Amino acid sequence: MKTLNKTISLFIMLFSATLLAQTTISGSVVDSNNQPLVDAHIIIENSIYGTYTDTEGHFILTVDITPPFNLSASRIGYKTLSIQVLNDNQIINFILDEGTDLDDTVVYGSRKPESVRESPVPIEIFDATDIRLSTATPNFYTSLENLKGVDINHGSLTFNSVNTRGFATFANNRFVQLIDGMDNASPALNFVMGNLVGMNELDVHSVELLPGASSALYGANAFNGILFMTSKNPFNFEGISTYYKQGITSQDAAGNNTYRDFGIRAAHKFSDKFAGKASFSYLKGTDWYATDYNEYTRGLVGTPDNISPFRSSPAHDGLNIYGDEISLGAALGMNLKELVQAYEGFLFPIGSSMLVPEDNVARTGYRELDLTDYNANSLKADFALHYRPLADDLEIIWNSRLGRGNTIFQGGNRYQLKNFFIQQHRLEIKNDNFFLRGYTTSEKAGDSYDMFFTGLNMNKVGAEEWFGTYAGAYIQGAAQVQASGGNPFDSTIQEQLHTASRNTADQLVTIQPGTPQFRTLFNQITSDPDVNTGSKFIDNSKMYVVEGNYNFSRLLRDALDLQIGGSARQYALNSQGTIFTDYDGPIKYDEYGAYIQGIKKLADDRLKVTASIRYDKNEFFDANLSPRISLVYFAGANKNHNIRASFQTGFRNPHTQSLFIGLNVGNVLLVGGAPTNLDRNLPNTNLTARDAYSDSYSLASFLAFAASQGASPIEPVNGTGMTPLVEPEKVKAFDLGYRGTLGPVDIDFSAYYNNYDNFLAEKVVITPNSGSTSDLSGIADIASGNYTIFQLNTNSSADISSYGAIIGLSTRIAKDFKLSASYNFAKFDFDQSSDPDFSAGFNTPEHKVKISFGNANLFKNFGFQVNGRWSDEYLWQANIANAMIPSRTVIDAQINYTIPAIKSIFKIGGTNLGGKEYQSAVGTGYIGQQYFISWTINNL
């Protein structure tokens, strides 16, 4: 018995010693010039244990593994090196040889780790080192514009929309953005809010961008591309890091304004089982002023609007002026002469109508800068707890992400998003073979409002008095001209009389900006959600998502990489009738899907075949199947020439707005095409969506009817008056590409062709208010102005395709200088005559050129980067206006200096240096220059 007890005691001691045994490895990572490499990834092969080098290239790693084992070091742009560890406290010094960007590891192209060279689809990468040393803009998110094939549309200082392969809008629901696997889109608006409520740059580990359709793996809406942002794991990235940036934004309209940005991140590994992190950032600046006061008059669909200069008529309707839509013609159905005639002998002297022209007159509107303070800010916070219950690769994560901000969004109108708040909460369990996550997204519109309806409803106050004062002033001025022997009907004199009359009416009646009365009325209207009297919009929408994935390759002994996954989500729309037709309570609907993917290497690993198929179902539509197959062939003696081809079908479900919107934007009433939306009440009309979809005239025939004064016949939509309800859009996508190295040059080429079926479209129709298109009563309504203009969400039956090509070249000069250039061609093929009322909105330059030149180590601890971009002119089509956007050249540059002793990097940079101010889209503020200086401490 004593012998047994001794044996058990000895076993326990040995077992405990094994549990407590720890191995510590330390060392450094340098390049071939003996320069330290920051952020090099140090990992024990075939384990979860790893760390990253600090600002001096040093690392220390303590693990519960007994040698021998292999330790590897890797970093973007360098070849991976592995060294065997034989002893505890061994010092390992890595010297990494330069590689190419094609050797960098990516994850999301096929949901598994692989090099860029092996990826079956085009892919762009951006990591923490790029943010720290290469970005020439104060915001890492806008630096993504320097990636080949990537467009960023600048809606405002803090609202930027990423897109690839055309059909761009600020509400870009064709493009998906995921942060740690969570869809970053607004639940109600169904589009990404840029990085307004996104990721703190200190917490960014990697960014991967896949251009083109990705529906086969990532579901509906991954139609034009998908952006993945992955944060740093606190098990691998510990410590406190912080940054501070300050500079100015410079614009002709706004002048020079201070810009500040502060961020901090803290992370700690409490044990091998538990780690946590928190990050916080706050940005504050002045938005780009929007000061386009021209009037845009819509012509034929597919052509630019006719532009009239400011005050070219007494009823001028300026683009960034709101409230000048209140006119005699719109409000009273009469012109100035008819107004005087109606009150002649009562308010105006008899015979005074003989002095007044038959002109329509509009109130003086409020400029956009009168209705917003252009205060742009963004506050972001992120908290995460990570738990590894077995101290292995099994990890449980709770993550909360909060964002609040002020910005300007441009959609059907210009919207001031004020104190907009969005939050996401995620619970995930994962290991190397699977993940299962659930998350929720909820948002609140805060004090947000529509600037169009703000100006409109402010100018409704005192409108009759204003028009009466205007008319009286005009009569008095015309009488004085006539009495002095002048001609009051001379065009120059009439223009002077209109100006003087407007000034008089504004001084006596219009509530002037900056006064207490203005502030009182402004607050009253922006806090009122009824568009008849106010401009506030309400949004308390939510989204719930569950998704998972399992990789069976380990069970199959790597004979086949087989993955199966699925997802389900529910939308709960809650705008209280201010955006959607949810006036009687939240609208809920569901989507779900599943996929399977297999990857197999053949022919001595020279041929890689990837095949997948996905099933998706939205409760309003039939199920969709999205297959994809891709082939990658590795040519050359070293298999370093990648030739790839892929085909897939993708689909795009109608988004929340296209299903349930019921929003009056002034010039049209936006209506969703869900079957359950047809009989719901709409704002400012007794008509329903069913009336608009089943009994309307086409826009093209309506415009011809009006231009010909009734001589040209007005035609019902599709000959029947009926517009089809919205259905999912589909695409057949073909991609060809090559990646490889020829001498010192890395080459990445891709070409694509997309053919669309049931292209999601917005069509304007004209609906009689009381008559019908089936008889003459509808024409009588049109002739008398008794109609409503609707914009319906539907699909185009036209043959629509897009195609393009991208080539990127990169090389190193004198070893440390990196030069890269890319050319992007994008074309849209559509015959407007086949669907005259369809506005395609390709909104993308046909030609783009990008060049980058830099050296992260020009001399010790000093680097620089210069980026240049040229874009061809293009037509921007949108509800707000249609116009040609001129070609532009933009140059950004920065220099940086590292002080290892204080773990700091200092950067000075500027954007749009020496360039002209430019717009991404008509209606937005012109983009000026930004100059900044930043100090970053301990960003590992």
Side-chain angles (χ1 to χ4, degrees):
M1 188 70 179
K2 289 183 179 180
T3 303
L4 178 61
N5 288 338
K6 288 181 179 180
T7 302
I8 294 173
S9 298
L10 179 61
F11 176 79
I12 292 174
M13 290 175 62
L14 290 172
F15 182 71
S16 301
T18 301
L19 287 178
L20 296 174
Q22 290 188 322
T23 301
T24 299
I25 317 105
S26 61
S28 65
V29 181
V30 298
D31 63 14
S32 57
N33 294 323
N34 203 36
Q35 295 297 317
L37 293 179
V38 182
D39 282 357
H41 189 196
I42 311 300
I43 189 168
I44 296 175
E45 295 180 1
N46 301 315
S47 82
I48 62 167
Y49 296 105
T51 187
Y52 288 79
T53 56
D54 61 19
T55 55
E56 296 179 337
H58 296 151
F59 70 89
I60 298 176
L61 180 62
T62 301
V63 295
D64 294 331
I65 299 178
T66 302
F69 52 78
N70 290 331
L71 188 71
S72 68
S74 62
R75 188 179 183 277
I76 287 181
Y78 293 84
K79 295 179 179 178
T80 300
L81 180 63
S82 179
I83 296 177
Q84 189 176 38
V85 176
L86 300 174
N87 305 301
D88 184 21
N89 294 316
Q90 185 173 340
I91 297 175
I92 305 289
N93 294 316
F94 292 93
I95 301 176
L96 300 188
D97 293 327
E98 290 183 6
T100 74
D101 292 342
L102 302 182
D103 296 315
D104 298 337
T105 300
V106 296
V107 174
Y108 291 101
S110 55
R111 285 193 183 267
K112 69 182 294 291
E114 60 192 354
S115 72
V116 172
R117 195 187 303 275
E118 293 183 7
S119 174
V121 294
I123 193 163
E124 298 295 318
I125 58 173
F126 195 80
D127 74 343
T129 302
D130 292 318
I131 294 172
R132 188 173 55 252
L133 297 176
S134 300
T135 55
T137 64
N139 180 345
F140 87 90
Y141 193 81
T142 56
S143 290
L144 299 176
E145 191 170 15
N146 296 309
L147 300 177
K148 60 181 178 290
V150 178
D151 297 315
I152 289 189
N153 296 299
H154 303 273
S156 62
L157 183 70
T158 53
F159 191 104
N160 300 286
S161 177
V162 178
N163 190 51
T164 61
R165 300 192 176 183
F167 304 106
T169 67
F170 294 112
N172 190 7
N173 36 53
R174 291 173 171 270
F175 192 90
V176 172
Q177 178 173 295
L178 302 180
I179 297 182
D180 288 331
M182 293 189 292
D183 189 340
N184 200 219
S186 157
L189 303 178
N190 227 199
F191 58 83
V192 176
M193 304 294 291
N195 204 42
L196 177 69
V197 288
M199 189 176 286
N200 182 334
E201 68 176 56
L202 296 170
D203 199 34
V204 176
H205 181 237
S206 67
V207 178
E208 298 178 21
L209 190 147
L210 276 64
S214 301
S215 301
L217 281 183
Y218 295 99
N221 301 337
F223 212 65
N224 270 29
I226 187 165
L227 177 68
F228 307 89
M229 290 195 283
T230 304
S231 67
K232 295 175 179 177
N233 191 308
F235 279 108
N236 299 326
F237 294 90
E238 293 187 84
I240 298 175
S241 53
T242 185
Y243 73 82
Y244 178 75
K245 303 176 186 178
Q246 182 165 330
I248 62 169
T249 54
S250 180
Q251 185 196 28
D252 290 343
N256 296 332
N257 294 281
T258 302
Y259 168 99
R260 294 184 178 90
D261 186 6
F262 167 77
I264 187 170
R265 176 186 184 271
H268 184 65
K269 185 174 77 169
F270 298 95
S271 68
D272 288 339
K273 292 186 176 183
F274 184 67
K277 67 175 181 178
S279 66
F280 170 88
S281 65
Y282 180 71
L283 178 153
K284 181 176 176 60
T286 300
D287 223 321
W288 307 114
Y289 283 24
T291 57
D292 187 348
Y293 302 144
N294 295 318
E295 179 174 3
Y296 290 76
T297 304
R298 186 160 297 184
L300 294 176
V301 177
T303 64
D305 295 344
N306 299 312
I307 301 176
S308 303
F310 180 60
R311 285 282 170 261
S312 53
S313 76
H316 184 85
D317 181 7
L319 185 61
N320 294 129
I321 300 176
Y322 313 112
D324 51 359
E325 297 78 13
I326 302 292
S327 68
L328 283 171
L332 302 176
M334 59 178 63
N335 57 44
L336 187 62
K337 188 180 189 72
E338 291 169 335
L339 174 68
V340 174
Q341 288 174 338
Y343 293 95
E344 201 169 17
F346 175 54
L347 293 179
F348 309 118
I350 295 176
S352 57
S353 61
M354 302 298 293
L355 300 173
V356 179
E358 296 179 345
D359 289 342
N360 188 21
V361 173
R363 288 206 66 174
T364 304
Y366 292 102
R367 300 171 299 172
E368 183 170 297
L369 57 86
D370 297 325
L371 302 178
T372 176
D373 55 12
Y374 285 113
N375 175 21
N377 63 64
S378 171
L379 186 153
K380 291 175 282 199
D382 178 38
F383 310 93
L385 298 175
H386 293 238
Y387 179 57
R388 294 175 174 173
L390 304 177
D392 58 7
D393 65 341
L394 182 66
E395 190 166 348
I396 301 171
I397 303 169
W398 173 262
N399 177 216
S400 292
R401 188 176 298 278
L402 314 172
R404 179 175 178 172
N406 292 357
T407 192
I408 292 175
F409 166 68
Q410 180 170 303
N413 289 331
R414 298 269 291 170
Y415 302 92
Q416 172 68 69
L417 302 186
K418 188 174 184 180
N419 297 324
F420 185 91
F421 179 74
I422 188 168
Q423 57 181 317
Q424 295 187 290
H425 303 282
R426 168 176 62 110
L427 178 62
E428 180 171 1
I429 179 170
K430 66 176 185 177
N431 69 6
D432 288 344
N433 300 315
F434 83 96
F435 72 80
L436 178 65
R437 74 171 67 99
Y439 65 91
T440 179
T441 305
S442 62
E443 64 189 358
K444 292 185 178 181
D447 302 311
S448 302
Y449 58 92
D450 182 327
M451 288 190 282
F452 170 85
F453 279 104
T454 302
L456 185 77
N457 287 321
M458 289 182 74
N459 258 352
K460 286 181 180 179
V461 177
E464 292 184 2
E465 182 183 359
W466 190 92
F467 286 121
T469 303
Y470 188 107
Y474 194 98
I475 293 168
Q476 184 178 6
Q480 292 174 352
V481 170
Q482 190 176 57
S484 61
N487 178 11
F489 290 94
D490 177 83
S491 59
T492 301
I493 292 177
Q494 280 188 335
E495 184 177 342
Q496 294 171 350
L497 289 172
H498 276 301
T499 300
S501 302
R502 180 175 301 279
N503 290 338
T504 299
D506 285 341
Q507 291 171 6
L508 296 178
V509 180
T510 301
I511 299 174
Q512 297 298 317
T515 63
Q517 296 89 341
F518 177 91
R519 179 50 56 183
T520 299
L521 181 60
F522 175 84
N523 290 339
Q524 173 188 324
I525 287 175
T526 56
S527 59
D528 181 357
D530 184 346
V531 295
N532 293 302
T533 54
S535 61
K536 178 183 178 67
F537 68 86
I538 298 169
D539 179 22
N540 297 305
S541 299
K542 295 180 172 63
M543 178 174 68
Y544 306 93
V545 182
V546 176
E547 54 192 9
N549 180 88
Y550 193 90
N551 190 324
F552 290 87
S553 59
R554 184 174 296 179
L555 296 178
L556 298 174
R557 300 182 182 276
D558 294 324
L560 174 69
D561 188 293
L562 180 66
Q563 299 185 60
I564 297 177
S567 63
R569 68 174 58 193
Q570 181 185 79
Y571 293 96
L573 309 181
N574 185 7
S575 72
Q576 298 180 31
T578 62
I579 302 174
F580 304 104
T581 56
D582 54 356
Y583 48 83
D584 55 353
I587 297 173
K588 296 181 179 180
Y589 69 97
D590 303 322
E591 298 175 348
Y592 56 89
Y595 61 87
I596 182 171
Q597 174 183 267
I599 302 175
K600 179 68 175 177
K601 286 186 176 182
L602 305 168
D604 191 28
D605 289 347
R606 284 190 176 272
L607 180 63
K608 178 180 176 182
V609 181
T610 304
S612 62
I613 189 167
R614 183 180 176 105
Y615 170 92
D616 282 276
K617 181 72 173 71
N618 178 295
E619 68 174 81
F620 300 120
F621 310 109
D622 293 335
N624 280 287
L625 289 175
S626 304
R628 182 179 80 171
I629 185 168
S630 66
L631 304 174
V632 183
Y633 183 74
F634 305 98
N638 298 317
K639 301 180 183 178
N640 58 352
H641 296 281
N642 163 318
I643 302 169
R644 66 184 185 274
S646 68
F647 166 77
Q648 74 166 299
T649 61
F651 79 101
R652 175 186 171 213
N653 277 329
H655 52 80
T656 53
Q657 294 182 65
S658 62
L659 292 173
F660 291 105
I661 197 168
L663 179 63
N664 188 335
V665 295
N667 57 339
V668 295
L669 203 161
L670 310 182
V671 179
T676 55
N677 200 48
L678 289 179
D679 297 313
R680 301 183 70 82
N681 296 336
L682 297 173
N684 306 108
T685 181
N686 291 323
L687 299 174
T688 65
R690 187 178 299 278
D691 296 318
Y693 274 95
S694 63
D695 195 13
S696 296
Y697 293 108
S698 71
L699 175 64
S701 68
F702 169 79
L703 293 174
F705 179 84
S708 66
Q709 297 182 342
S712 177
I714 187 167
E715 302 288 344
V717 175
N718 297 322
T720 62
M722 300 186 68
T723 301
L725 296 181
V726 69
E727 295 181 355
E729 176 183 339
K730 299 179 180 179
V731 64
K732 294 183 178 69
F734 302 84
D735 275 84
L736 292 172
Y738 166 81
R739 293 189 189 96
T741 302
L742 296 178
V745 180
D746 293 337
I747 301 174
D748 193 348
F749 170 79
S750 61
Y752 63 91
Y753 175 81
N754 298 327
N755 184 258
Y756 300 91
D757 184 31
N758 272 349
F759 196 98
L760 285 173
E762 296 169 338
K763 290 189 179 182
V764 175
V765 300
I766 317 301
T767 308
N769 285 342
S770 53
S772 172
T773 61
S774 61
D775 54 43
L776 294 178
S777 63
I779 298 176
D781 273 4
I782 300 299
S784 63
N786 185 31
Y787 59 83
T788 299
I789 304 176
F790 289 97
Q791 180 172 286
L792 306 182
N793 285 274
T794 183
N795 303 82
S796 175
S797 59
D799 184 16
I800 299 169
S801 61
S802 66
Y803 53 93
I806 305 166
I807 184 167
L809 307 173
S810 63
T811 188
R812 291 186 181 272
I813 303 172
K815 207 163 190 179
D816 290 330
F817 291 88
K818 185 173 181 179
L819 174 65
S820 62
S822 67
Y823 166 73
N824 185 29
F825 171 77
K827 190 72 173 178
F828 170 56
D829 189 9
F830 166 62
D831 181 6
Q832 188 71 61
S833 64
S834 66
D835 194 350
D837 293 340
F838 168 54
S839 179
F842 190 59
N843 298 345
T844 301
E846 186 171 329
H847 305 282
K848 295 192 296 287
V849 176
K850 301 178 182 181
I851 298 176
S852 296
F853 181 65
N855 188 332
N857 195 36
L858 182 62
F859 51 84
K860 187 175 182 179
N861 299 327
F862 180 86
F864 77 94
Q865 181 76 23
V866 179
N867 297 311
R869 300 181 300 277
W870 174 83
S871 297
D872 198 7
E873 69 174 5
Y874 57 97
L875 174 65
W876 184 272
Q877 294 177 277
N879 295 332
I880 197 168
N882 307 278
M884 293 299 299
I885 304 299
S887 63
R888 62 179 182 263
T889 300
V890 179
I891 297 175
D892 308 329
Q894 60 89 8
I895 58 174
N896 60 81
Y897 185 70
T898 302
I899 303 179
I902 58 173
K903 299 183 178 181
S904 294
I905 298 174
F906 295 89
K907 185 186 293 187
I908 298 175
T911 66
N912 195 21
L913 298 176
K916 294 181 180 179
E917 296 183 357
Y918 65 93
Q919 287 178 302
S920 290
V922 61
T924 65
Y926 276 81
I927 310 299
Q929 291 77 38
Q930 285 184 270
Y931 307 96
F932 69 96
I933 183 170
S934 68
W935 180 11
T936 303
I937 303 174
N938 201 32
N939 184 19
L940 303 180

